[in-house]
Amino acid sequence: ASASGTDHLTMSTKPAVLVTRRLPSAVLERLESVCDIELHTEPTAITRESLLARVAGKDALVCLLTEPIDQAVLDAAGPSLKVVANVAVGFNNIDVAACRARGIVVTNTPDVLTNACADFTWALILAVTRRLGEGERELRDGRWKGWALDHLLGMELRGKQLGLVGMGRIARAVADKAPAFGMAVAYTDQVVSDVPGATAMSLDRLLATSDVLSLHVNLTPQTTHLIDQKALVKMRRSAYLINT
């Protein structure tokens, strides 16, 4: 208080930001250095009611794919909201058109999981072709009785064809690793027509010729049940299907 009894309140000039899930400490420290953060600290996802209440008056919202950011959230935030930053590769949880109409910038993190997804794709390919899951379950259940020449034989990858349905970032990263396993790469894509080191072909031909088929398409009404009974019949009986 001053000598005259008048209170002087210091108002923060930092943007107010709601973060809906705890982020790595280095990220939070950097954000806190320039913003006033309100952080949802519970281990479970923020509830709809809490999101609507806490987003009011915020300048920015840092959210995850689990939170629908729709008209109701934008209305609750009010005119101060300028940025919706989605910590996710996708953005289907956000009403982008509504944000654009209000002049709100929407961001996402499209490339952070590309290599991780490619690694897991190869982990799945190796697990299914070399029957790793079956072997581990047999061992843990106490059913393993000893080694045999023909027990749990899998498929060698060298000399086989890897078929990729869709040729986006993740599929390209998967294709980059194929030479290490001696596999030829073929693919089908409605947009991409030329990928060095890979052969473009129709989906029907890809189904009929691939030894391992990995799906890399977005889930849309057009791709739902892309692999149905008709598609499975076209595949080799010895083929493996990976739903990346």
Side-chain angles (χ1 to χ4, degrees):
S2 66
S4 62
T6 303
D7 290 331
H8 294 278
L9 300 179
T10 302
M11 302 298 293
S12 173
T13 58
K14 292 182 179 180
V17 179
L18 174 62
V19 182
T20 64
R21 189 69 65 92
R22 181 170 291 279
L23 301 175
S25 58
V27 176
L28 288 176
E29 288 175 6
R30 186 173 180 182
L31 197 57
E32 287 173 337
S33 68
V34 293
C35 301
D36 282 333
I37 295 177
E38 182 175 342
L39 176 65
H40 175 70
T41 57
E42 299 298 321
T44 55
I46 190 170
T47 65
R48 178 74 170 177
E49 293 74 17
S50 180
L51 175 60
L52 291 173
R54 298 171 71 177
V55 76
K58 295 297 187 292
D59 297 291
L61 171 63
V62 180
C63 55
L64 271 72
L65 201 62
T66 50
E67 289 102 40
I69 309 302
D70 52 17
Q71 290 274 10
V73 174
L74 301 181
D75 288 342
S80 62
L81 190 65
K82 298 296 185 292
V83 176
V84 173
N86 211 33
V87 186
V89 172
F91 49 88
N92 54 293
N93 59 311
I94 299 174
D95 189 336
V96 177
C99 289
R100 183 181 295 113
R102 297 170 183 242
I104 298 171
V105 174
V106 176
T107 67
N108 64 332
T109 55
D111 204 33
V112 294
L113 296 177
T114 297
N115 287 327
C117 288
D119 286 348
F120 275 111
T121 300
W122 279 104
L124 291 171
I125 292 172
L126 290 168
V128 69
T129 58
R130 290 302 188 179
R131 304 176 70 173
L132 299 182
E134 295 172 77
E136 183 190 39
R137 287 191 295 273
E138 182 179 287
L139 184 64
R140 290 184 181 276
D141 292 344
R143 294 183 286 108
W144 186 69
K145 303 303 180 184
W147 177 82
L149 280 168
D150 60 350
H151 184 54
L152 288 178
L153 287 178
M155 182 186 76
E156 182 176 0
L157 296 179
R158 185 167 296 279
K160 303 299 194 303
Q161 178 175 296
L162 171 63
L164 303 174
V165 182
M167 204 51 163
R169 288 186 300 270
I170 295 172
R172 287 173 183 262
V174 171
D176 288 343
K177 301 176 190 296
F181 297 97
M183 296 192 77
V185 177
Y187 71 96
T188 186
D189 192 286
Q190 293 183 343
V191 178
V192 180
S193 59
D194 184 21
V195 177
T199 302
M201 56 181 64
S202 67
L203 176 60
D204 282 350
R205 186 183 171 202
L206 195 72
L207 291 170
T209 60
S210 294
D211 299 289
V212 177
L213 189 75
S214 184
L215 307 180
H216 294 266
V217 291
N218 295 326
L219 179 60
T220 67
Q222 290 72 38
T223 61
T224 299
H225 296 166
L226 178 69
I227 303 301
D228 54 13
Q229 186 177 16
K230 292 181 180 179
L232 291 171
V233 168
K234 294 174 183 177
M235 294 177 65
R236 295 178 174 180
R237 293 185 64 85
S238 59
Y240 295 87
L241 177 65
I242 307 295
N243 187 22
T244 300

